[in-house]
Amino acid sequence: SGTVSLVVGQGSALFLQGAARALARDGAMIELLQRQAPLLASVVFLHPLVVLAEGTIIATRDFRNLIATYLGAIGIHGFLMTTAPTFEAVWKAFVVLQLIRLSGFRIWRRRAAQA
């Protein structure tokens, strides 16, 4: 999963850097897409890792922790999205969402190790 994350994350960044013209015709939009490539790559890199971690929690049927993590993540993400003044802020909100979800897994692992 880590290798897939790395390849897909880097691939998406390289794609946006090199092929943004295939997605947009407006010069300002092309420049914006190219500038946001690192944030997009971060989101795409983290997503498979988060899904793998959440699958581990689901396999143990610890839904309480998963639901608590999602409620917190969605609440914070929703706030960030409604207050995001720029395109960059929107992508940063998505990075924060993934990091919160991953943090929920780390907290779950610590609790499981202490039990």
Side-chain angles (χ1 to χ4, degrees), residues 9-92:
Q10 288 301 313
S12 63
L14 291 172
F15 175 77
L16 276 183
Q17 290 291 340
R21 294 185 194 296
L23 300 173
R25 294 183 184 183
D26 180 51
M29 182 55 84
I30 291 168
E31 181 184 337
L32 188 61
L33 287 170
Q34 289 173 335
R35 268 198 335 256
Q36 302 313 312
L39 288 172
L40 173 69
S42 297
V43 171
V44 173
F45 170 74
L46 289 169
H47 183 72
L49 299 174
V50 170
V51 171
L52 178 69
E54 288 173 348
T56 304
I57 295 171
I58 291 169
T60 65
R61 299 189 148 328
D62 186 2
F63 298 113
R64 187 178 62 180
N65 182 66
L66 191 63
I67 290 169
T69 299
Y70 264 100
L71 289 175
I74 290 170
I76 293 169
H77 179 68
F79 172 76
L80 291 173
M81 289 297 287
T82 58
T83 59
T86 64
F87 191 55
E88 180 179 5
V90 170
W91 280 110
K92 285 181 180 178

